[in-house]
Amino acid sequence: MLRITQPALDALRLHGEETYPHECCGVLIGRIDSDVRRVESAVGCGNTRTDSPQNRYNIAPRELVAAQRQARAAGMDIVGFYHSHPDHPPHWSETDLAEAHWYGCSYVITSVEKGRAAATRSFLLAGKDEEDKRFEPEAVEVVAGESKVPVAASETGERQ
């Protein structure tokens, strides 16, 4: 199960609207308690894909490392990732699965229809290795809360 604070959910959905018609992407920071990934903050990253940013995304390694440092400084860790699907349903694609490598993390997808965030779904990357990996739908619980990770400007100037 993914338990996400309302501010974190609002932030990732707004990020999808801001980058429309391109995909947005970012990192989910929080804690893992047993089978529950608790998201405290969504850290927006720049989409480095220039060949097809309307249906592909990539997070620069330096932004990923910066997000991980931010999480650790707050006593948390990376518990997942998010991206948007402009004018497409919030369901993972074969490319999403091929490029996912953080087992046990949540992959949240928001559909953005004509510039407005619509449905948001989450999938757990399950399995032990590349041959066994798969996405499993997971329940999402939205809870009240405040962002517990300091928000800082990213190196690309994207909103966080």
Side-chain angles (χ1 to χ4, degrees):
M1 170 193 278
L2 179 74
R3 185 171 294 148
I4 186 169
T5 63
Q6 186 68 57
L9 179 64
D10 291 345
L12 70 89
R13 290 171 56 85
L14 178 62
H15 193 196
E17 291 178 354
E18 290 173 344
T19 62
Y20 181 87
H22 296 162
E23 289 194 5
C24 73
C25 52
V27 179
L28 301 173
I29 293 175
R31 293 182 175 86
I32 298 177
D33 294 329
S34 188
D35 289 336
V36 178
R37 280 154 299 287
R38 296 182 346 186
V39 177
E40 301 290 345
S41 266
V43 178
C45 298
N47 182 354
T48 63
R49 291 291 297 254
T50 56
D51 59 329
S52 188
Q54 72 280 3
N55 60 7
R56 299 284 184 270
Y57 77 95
N58 183 62
I59 298 171
R62 71 175 184 274
E63 284 196 286
L64 187 57
V65 169
Q68 193 163 37
R69 286 183 179 151
Q70 228 179 326
R72 288 185 178 163
M76 296 184 221
D77 208 344
I78 292 174
V79 299
F81 301 90
Y82 72 89
H83 72 282
S84 61
H85 279 180
D87 297 318
H88 282 80
H91 192 274
W92 57 272
S93 67
E94 289 300 323
T95 300
D96 292 336
L97 180 60
E99 296 180 355
H101 304 290
W102 288 60
Y103 298 98
C105 281
S106 296
Y107 286 75
V108 173
I109 302 171
T110 295
S111 65
V112 180
E113 299 173 2
K114 297 181 181 173
R116 304 291 301 169
T120 299
R121 296 184 64 197
S122 185
F123 304 90
L124 171 67
L125 183 61
K128 294 180 277 184
D129 56 33
E130 290 296 308
E131 294 177 19
D132 182 35
K133 76 177 178 181
R134 63 197 174 280
F135 278 128
E136 296 177 351
E138 68 178 347
V140 177
E141 179 183 13
V142 181
V143 297
E146 297 177 13
S147 178
K148 295 183 179 174
V149 176
V151 176
S154 74
E155 295 176 25
T156 62
E158 294 290 324
R159 183 189 65 74
Q160 292 189 13

